[in-house]
Amino acid sequence: MKKVKISVFADPACTWCWGSVPVVRALRYRYGSQLEFEYVMGGMIEDITSFNNRRLSIGGDIAMSNRNIHKHWLEASAIHGMPVSEAPVRLFTEEHRSTVPMNLAYIAAGLYAKSNKEIMDNSVQRFLRILQEMTLVDGAQMNDADNIVAMSALVGFNQQKYSEIFAGPETKRVYSANKELCNEYDVHSFPTYKLVYADEEMMVRGFTTYETLAHCIAQLSYENVKPIEDGREALTIANVRTFIEEFGVAYPVEIATAFSLDRTGGHTALNIESYAGLPDIIEEMIKSNDIAMAPKGNGFLIYTLKQKQNASQAKGREYAGIY
């Protein structure tokens, strides 16, 4: 079976990449093994003091940049629905001026997983999600190498071994290759998607919707690659339970995107009440002790209470403030 390969050009500190997580999850859930994903790290900000985004007034002065970055995160969150920190953030300091360490962190996670057969298949993607969440929702200093190495334990990595890979030449080599891909495909904004099917490819640039990417997949594959889930017609307690259990944790917008739920007028994208049909299902699942909810940033995290979760998932929930 031919698959559509999707390369996601991204940076873990990019709020629109964080806001695109529901779209990627929906694609994974609804297409299953028909899609193959890879992430290309683009290194959004090499040095904040020499960076210049005039439209958002980000770059140059570190304190001003942090203030305007947080303002932008909050504005973007209201659009894409993924939560961010309510408290002011210090993404950059005099000592930590770059988002590149986060890019290296993800690449090192992939290299670590390749060298250790005991690591779960989804550990690298869980690593990326936690890295994004700690940066954008918890406001943690995740461009600090020590913090990155400490975080690796949340997905079951040996910290000493991971630290060696993170600081090693192969991680830097792969990052350089990623940057070359960005230049080759003229990628200047994140996320950007490259879709490949057989010998044909298509670029989709910037923040976009599940529906847009699904249309592109159909067009590129000549309708040979189709969703195996039906979206809103599949909105049942059993299917929502399966979705949450598959990923361990979810925000309301992630469930809504996976099941193509319309947003209710007048509601923010961050709440369950924002999506028709979702509140009753979530309430029933809470009553049945299938799931629980907890505040997270300016939103709410939904997590499974099933005991079959493995130890690394439990660590991730502990990190998220659930216990």
Side-chain angles (χ1 to χ4, degrees):
M1 178 185 69
K2 291 182 179 179
K3 300 182 179 183
V4 173
K5 181 177 180 179
I6 302 178
S7 299
V8 186
F9 293 79
D11 185 299
C14 169
T15 186
W16 294 107
C17 297
W18 174 234
S20 297
V21 170
V23 174
V24 174
R25 275 196 170 184
L27 290 170
R28 290 183 184 276
Y29 177 70
R30 291 172 66 172
Y31 284 83
S33 61
Q34 298 178 96
L35 303 181
E36 178 184 343
F37 286 87
E38 70 168 3
Y39 277 81
V40 179
M41 293 290 107
M44 183 171 61
I45 299 177
E46 298 276 349
D47 187 327
I48 189 62
T49 61
S50 57
F51 183 77
N52 186 13
N53 184 323
R54 293 182 179 179
R55 184 176 65 86
L56 298 175
S57 296
I58 296 173
D61 182 79
I62 293 176
M64 179 194 70
S65 295
N66 283 332
R67 288 194 301 270
N68 289 331
I69 286 169
H70 186 233
K71 177 183 176 184
H72 178 56
W73 285 1
L74 289 169
E75 292 170 347
S77 178
I79 297 171
H80 60 55
M82 290 293 273
V84 297
S85 172
E86 290 186 298
V89 297
R90 294 175 69 246
L91 180 61
F92 299 106
T93 65
E94 288 291 345
E95 184 180 359
H96 305 101
R97 299 181 178 184
S98 176
T99 65
V100 171
M102 302 179 209
N103 292 248
L104 296 173
Y106 172 75
I107 291 169
L111 293 173
Y112 180 98
K114 287 181 180 179
S115 68
N116 192 326
K117 295 181 180 180
E118 296 180 0
I119 293 297
M120 293 175 56
D121 291 340
N122 66 350
S123 292
V124 178
Q125 296 313 310
R126 288 192 60 247
F127 181 97
L128 176 59
R129 182 186 177 91
I130 294 174
L131 181 60
Q132 291 174 298
E133 194 169 46
M134 292 183 76
T135 300
L136 286 108
V137 187
D138 294 327
Q141 194 77 54
M142 295 312 299
N143 45 15
D144 177 88
D146 291 340
N147 290 343
I148 288 171
V149 172
M151 188 204 74
S152 68
L154 295 175
V155 290
F157 292 179
N158 177 284
Q159 292 185 58
Q160 181 176 350
K161 182 178 179 181
Y162 174 80
S163 178
E164 293 170 357
I165 295 174
F166 174 68
E170 181 63 8
T171 296
K172 295 179 176 64
R173 186 198 66 78
V174 173
Y175 174 67
S176 294
N178 280 200
K179 291 291 288 183
E180 288 177 7
L181 277 175
C182 289
N183 292 332
E184 178 182 347
Y185 287 96
D186 197 28
V187 175
H188 299 289
S189 62
F190 304 115
T192 287
Y193 304 87
K194 184 183 75 167
L195 285 66
V196 178
Y197 181 80
D199 295 325
E200 299 187 46
E201 64 183 39
M202 179 185 298
M203 300 296 294
V204 181
R205 300 180 186 277
F207 179 75
T208 191
T209 64
Y210 166 85
E211 287 74 20
T212 295
L213 288 174
H215 174 76
C216 292
I217 290 169
Q219 184 179 23
L220 184 66
S221 70
Y222 302 96
E223 303 283 350
N224 287 317
V225 177
K226 300 178 181 180
I228 55 178
E229 290 287 351
D230 296 326
R232 75 188 67 189
E233 296 179 5
L235 183 67
T236 65
I237 290 178
N239 287 341
V240 172
R241 182 188 296 115
T242 298
F243 177 83
I244 297 173
E245 288 180 357
E246 178 176 339
F247 295 106
V249 297
Y251 293 104
V253 69
E254 295 183 284
I255 301 171
T257 304
F259 294 95
S260 296
L261 303 183
D262 294 326
R263 192 184 305 180
T264 305
H267 286 284
T268 173
L270 292 156
N271 297 330
I272 289 172
E273 292 78 9
S274 305
Y275 306 101
L278 189 57
D280 291 343
I281 285 180
I282 295 300
E283 181 179 355
E284 185 63 32
M285 293 178 70
I286 291 175
K287 287 181 180 178
S288 302
N289 289 321
D290 285 335
I291 60 171
M293 292 180 60
K296 190 73 171 170
N298 61 345
F300 293 89
L301 181 69
I302 302 166
Y303 59 96
T304 179
L305 293 175
K306 295 298 182 182
Q307 297 301 312
K308 65 182 181 182
Q309 292 190 103
N310 59 50
S312 63
Q313 286 178 313
K315 286 182 180 178
R317 284 168 52 196
E318 183 176 6
Y319 138 73
I322 302 306
Y323 296 150

